[in-house]
Amino acid sequence: DSGVTQTPKHLITATGQRVTLRCSPRSGDLSVYWYQQSLDQGLQFLIQYYNGEERAKGNILERFSAQQFPDLHSELNLSSLELGDSALYFCASSALGGETQYFGPGTRLLVL
Amino acid sequence: QQQVKQSPQSLIVQKGGISIINCAYENTAFDYFPWYQQFPGKGPALLIAIRPDVSEKKEGRFTISFNKSAKQFSLHIMDSQPGDSATYFCAASIGSRTGFQKLVFGTGTRLLVSP
């Protein structure tokens, strides 16, 4: 168990809808990262937050947004969902200056 | 330039054998090279990592070999066990020492260790 929690575990929704994925980092970790894992694209870095501020951006679509709250939990919002957004979404966290990213169990999103 | 190329895509090794997975990169600014192990239904977990100033790092049955001039690194699993059956991802990042790193992952290798 990495200490990173993600909810929900599974999500089934329809095209055009909006969903919110939630992540709680390990105790004391200030950095949160979001990744998308799909069969054709592999593991892709989406975005990083550090202590509430956006610090690094990867291949994140404009339809996707994220934020980190004062209690350090983070949410990834996916809107105007398309079939191709079906994937596993992972959250990871790390300590300040820490190289190791600890991954959560993921949220499996299915867009029908 | 941000890509990390990983091979093979899948690998079958007999119990007790050596599993070898290779990765190559282009961006010489990468300063941290971790390997992650992922079991079905789980998130990736750090297995072992190396910095480019070291040519080899060993932790138990797992060894990373790093060739800076060739821009290649590989994972060797000695005495492979059925419990090692998982998907392995190599990765590379810039800015790891600042804590603000972007991990670029390889495409993954599905390892099956036969009993």
Side-chain angles (χ1 to χ4, degrees), chain A residues 33-85:
Chain A
Y33 309 79
W34 285 97
Y35 292 86
Q36 180 192 57
Q37 185 175 36
S38 60
L39 283 175
D40 56 344
Q41 294 289 326
L43 261 168
Q44 298 276 319
F45 167 73
L46 296 178
I47 197 164
Q48 178 199 4
Y49 277 81
Y50 171 74
N51 202 21
E53 292 188 9
E54 181 186 308
R55 297 311 296 257
K57 220 167 185 177
N59 302 318
I60 188 166
L61 300 172
E62 283 190 14
R63 300 183 287 107
F64 296 1
S65 65
Q67 58 185 131
Q68 187 179 25
F69 295 86
D71 67 352
L72 301 178
H73 91 271
S74 178
E75 292 181 357
L76 179 67
N77 299 295
L78 314 177
S79 61
S80 303
L81 284 167
E82 301 175 0
L83 295 177
D85 297 327

Side-chain angles (χ1 to χ4, degrees), chain B residues 6-14 17-23 35 61-65 73-80 88 109-113:
Chain B
Q6 183 172 347
S7 64
Q9 194 173 4
S10 62
L11 183 60
I12 300 175
V13 173
Q14 284 203 327
I18 303 174
S19 304
I20 302 174
I21 304 171
N22 301 299
C23 285
W35 284 88
R61 296 183 294 108
F62 302 93
T63 300
I64 300 179
S65 296
F73 58 111
S74 59
L75 175 70
H76 292 64
I77 306 174
M78 311 300 288
D79 187 25
S80 298
Y88 292 81
T109 296
R110 189 169 291 185
L111 171 66
L112 177 64
V113 181

